[in-house]
Amino acid sequence: MVDAAVRPQAASGASNAPRIDIDRVNELLLGTWADTRREAREMIKDSAFWRKDELGKDEHRERVLSQLHLLVENRAVHRAFPKRFGGEENNGANIAGFEELVAADPSLQIKSGVQWGLFGSAILQLGTAEHHEKWLPGVMDLSIPGAFAMTEIGHGSDVAAVGTTATYDPETEEFVIHTPFRGATKEYLGNAALHGIAATVFAQLITNGVNHGVHCFYVPLRGEDGNDLPGVGREDDGLKGGLNGIDNGRLSFDHVRVPRTNLLNKYGDVAVDGTYTSSIDSPGRRFFTMLGTLVQGRVSLDGAASWASALGLKIAITYATQRRQFDGADGQEVVLLDYGKHQRRLLPRLATTYAQIFAHDEFLQKFDGVFSGRTDTPDDREDLETLAAALKPLSTWHALDTLQEAREACGGAGFMFENRFVGLRADLDIYVTFEGDNNVLLQLVGKRLLTDYAKQFQGKDAAALAKLVAAQAAGKVFHGAGLRQLGQAVADLGSTARSVENGLREEQQHELLAGRVQQMVADIAGRLRPAGKDKVLGEQLFNENQSELIEAARAHGELLQWEAFTDAVRTIEDPDTKQVLTWLRDLFGLQLIEKHLAWHLINGRLSMQRAAAVSSYIDRLCRRLRPHALDLVDAFGYEQEHLRAPIASGIEQQRQDEARAYYAELAASGSAPVSEKALRAKQREERDEAKRA
């Protein structure tokens, strides 16, 4: 943390500004599993976990593998596994702990996620007791490093259409795993290029001539002699745009045989004679149930991306409160964060990061409830899937945007690898497309919103339907006429600033954000309705409305984040802290409204006067929050061992203090050179005086 003695004050009035309770806000941000997060952060203070920027690809890979062994030694990988194997059966704590590894090295976070969150979790969640006894101990202690072989080069997010086959041979009681064409090659798999000795392979299960859809199989890749088994093809993906501490590769299978019992058969089994049985009759529901058990990858990406944004903002805002540039009115150089544009660049992104962290904790609670069995119903699992698909895209896109803006806000210093932005952004780039491409995920959310919208019409008679339609039509006329309370003239409250502030507080923000989602979904549903049961027309209409559906899903995710932020604010008792976090929440909400001002105007949700004043109110909020910026990033709880960025270490403050002391001493000595500009001004004054004389 930056020493209080060098904590800069903002412009006018900052010296009297209240201070937030940093410890209380830190507790809120660390969330339900705060103790686990602190344990993880304490562990990664050890430099053995830190990324070494000077390492090449091969050395980086081996270092990360060694770090996985350190995680085992520190018992940092056992939390989600059964107690009978030495685990804790604490799913929420498990994800919270792994997310924190992003501050050490994102390659470490992702490679550990592959080993224990994907490969190990597939065995745990899709297998049965026999599989657990046989393989989980080796997964946990890393004697069985493995790959998660789901993605194919020809079918990324479309898992149901994978080309790999697993055909049952009743004569040998084996499944034959086969890659029938190049597009069915398993691709981009962590641990596949070098370290994996087994894989959980997703393939079309075929028995007795019937394809029962995608199932998961445990497939050994390497024999005890260290060589790949016959029929296993392995290639190295080589250098990537980031995460080069992970040995990503591709796997193919040429009629590789595995025992019948290597089918992870919790949701579907094949008897000795080839008969298929499942406790879930519907193939579609069975498929989504199996994939739903692996949602934790998206959960952890949402959290890790949010905390990576926090890390970048802590560095950038610390630097911005120390670095000075250009003379101000008092003749002193101005601190960067005292410039309105700099505040606009960083503080709204800080507000979004807070919103995402609060939303993530609620998301993680939902995940823990489902995976612990406390709230494990089909509806809860569907809600969890929808939450994952809504939040992961927003947080991962935000991380890239924030790290880039933070990098630019730090100028040339931000471009130096040692100051973290460049490496973090490169590593997090892939987060927006793995564990589900963001746009595909939001499309899933959009479809769920349409389904929920349609449910309100089910079972209603003609009179009730007419009433619903009339209400919709009335609402559109009302909005279109600009007659809502939010469309009132600004003059009625005496000043534009006060009118905007009073008219865009919590209740109105929620009304605008929620109303936008509701109307977008209703409009899309109306445009899709003419298709009826005509699949061709339905596909055409869906495609025509796809972009807007994804935008509606994004708006839904933003609404969830705003609501989570508001829930957090309501738990705060200290009035100063509550006030500052309310301003920060308002900044988050209003920037969302500003981003979609055109929509709000077109749909009559805001008057022209009020819409025009939104941006100026955002600037006003930024000025209010400026004195609290350093406290707000200090509340993330990162220490120097986590930041490891020289520009956030206090060295910039030392440089600035040294420079100011030098010029002060020089001026006091009387030997300071006179500037040409000052000299000419003095000469003009002398000439003017001579003329007057």
Side-chain angles (χ1 to χ4, degrees), residues 314-363:
K314 166 65 176 173
I315 295 168
I317 288 176
T318 299
Y319 184 68
T321 57
Q322 298 175 3
R323 179 77 158 87
R324 294 176 179 272
Q325 190 81 28
F326 303 113
D327 288 345
D330 61 357
Q332 298 291 322
E333 286 187 299
V334 179
V335 173
L336 291 182
L337 201 57
D338 284 346
Y339 287 109
K341 178 60 177 176
H342 217 79
Q343 295 168 14
R344 261 286 196 154
R345 299 174 77 177
L346 298 179
L347 297 185
R349 290 175 170 86
L350 177 62
T352 301
T353 302
Y354 263 67
Q356 290 181 169
I357 290 173
F358 290 140
H360 177 71
D361 191 63
E362 292 190 7
F363 179 21

Side-chain angles (χ1 to χ4, degrees), residues 371-601:
F371 274 65
S372 68
R374 294 192 309 275
T375 56
D376 187 7
T377 67
D379 286 345
D380 284 307
R381 283 192 174 267
E382 186 178 7
D383 288 346
L384 179 62
E385 282 286 323
T386 304
L387 269 175
L391 296 180
K392 179 261 185 184
L394 271 59
S395 58
T396 54
W397 273 326
H398 173 70
L400 295 190
D401 170 69
T402 297
L403 291 168
Q404 179 64 26
E405 194 65 35
R407 200 293 292 163
E408 294 182 35
C410 293
F415 198 60
M416 301 303 292
F417 217 91
E418 66 178 3
N419 286 319
R420 302 296 300 279
F421 301 119
V422 177
L424 278 171
R425 195 193 183 286
D427 285 339
L428 267 73
D429 197 342
I430 190 62
Y431 284 41
V432 302
T433 51
F434 73 8
E435 294 296 318
D437 175 273
N438 283 355
N439 283 291
V440 175
L441 292 179
L442 287 177
Q443 181 171 288
L444 293 176
V445 177
K447 288 180 176 179
R448 170 70 187 277
L449 292 174
L450 287 172
T451 299
D452 288 350
Y453 176 79
K455 285 179 181 178
Q456 68 180 309
F457 296 99
Q458 293 176 0
K460 288 185 168 59
D461 58 24
L465 285 173
K467 188 175 180 181
L468 271 172
V469 172
Q472 265 191 280
K476 288 184 179 179
V477 171
F478 197 62
H479 300 328
L483 297 175
R484 286 185 78 114
Q485 180 184 356
L486 294 172
Q488 64 188 314
V490 296
D492 59 358
L493 290 174
S495 76
T496 300
R498 191 177 304 115
S499 177
V500 172
E501 182 171 352
N502 289 338
L504 288 175
R505 288 185 172 172
E506 181 177 309
E507 181 181 350
Q508 292 83 13
Q509 289 173 40
H510 186 261
E511 189 174 355
L512 286 171
L513 296 173
R516 181 167 181 264
V517 176
Q518 292 162 2
Q519 184 169 334
M520 290 180 76
V521 173
D523 289 347
I524 295 166
R527 291 195 292 270
L528 295 179
R529 193 170 293 125
K533 295 183 179 180
D534 185 337
K535 292 186 177 180
V536 174
L537 180 58
E539 182 177 338
Q540 176 188 331
L541 291 175
F542 184 86
N543 200 45
E544 289 173 359
N545 289 276
Q546 185 181 31
S547 293
E548 190 167 348
L549 181 65
I550 289 172
E551 185 58 34
R554 185 166 187 159
H556 171 68
E558 292 167 343
L559 173 62
L560 294 176
Q561 292 174 340
W562 184 94
E563 290 175 340
F565 201 153
T566 300
D567 288 343
V569 170
R570 288 173 179 168
T571 67
I572 300 171
E573 296 180 359
D574 173 62
D576 288 346
T577 303
K578 193 181 192 76
Q579 179 65 80
V580 173
L581 260 65
T582 297
W583 290 337
L584 195 65
R585 191 279 318 279
D586 289 349
L587 179 57
F588 174 62
L590 290 172
Q591 67 160 342
L592 295 177
I593 293 166
E594 181 188 49
K595 184 169 67 172
H596 304 298
L597 270 184
W599 187 94
H600 290 291
L601 284 166

Side-chain angles (χ1 to χ4, degrees), residues 3 86 95 110 171 188 195 203 224 268 287 296 353 420 487 551 575 630 637 647:
D3 189 276
I95 297 295
I110 297 302
E171 292 186 5
Y188 313 128
H195 301 142
E224 294 183 2
F287 170 74
Q296 61 187 342
T353 302
R420 302 296 300 279
E551 185 58 34
L630 206 51
I647 58 172

Side-chain angles (χ1 to χ4, degrees), residues 42-101:
E42 192 63 32
M43 178 184 69
I44 62 174
K45 285 182 179 180
D46 183 347
S47 60
F49 287 103
W50 300 351
R51 170 177 174 159
K52 280 191 172 182
D53 298 336
E54 69 274 14
L55 295 181
K57 170 176 64 67
D58 296 337
E59 295 85 356
H60 193 185
R61 287 176 170 183
E62 294 309 310
R63 178 174 175 81
V64 173
L65 178 64
S66 72
Q67 291 169 336
L68 260 62
H69 286 286
L70 283 177
L71 291 177
V72 174
E73 291 176 17
N74 281 272
R75 293 192 56 78
V77 304
H78 295 69
R79 297 184 182 102
F81 289 104
K83 292 179 180 178
R84 68 181 185 276
F85 298 120
E88 299 174 12
E89 298 179 13
N90 191 338
N91 294 282
N94 177 61
I95 297 295
F98 275 127
E99 290 168 356
E100 294 298 332
L101 299 178

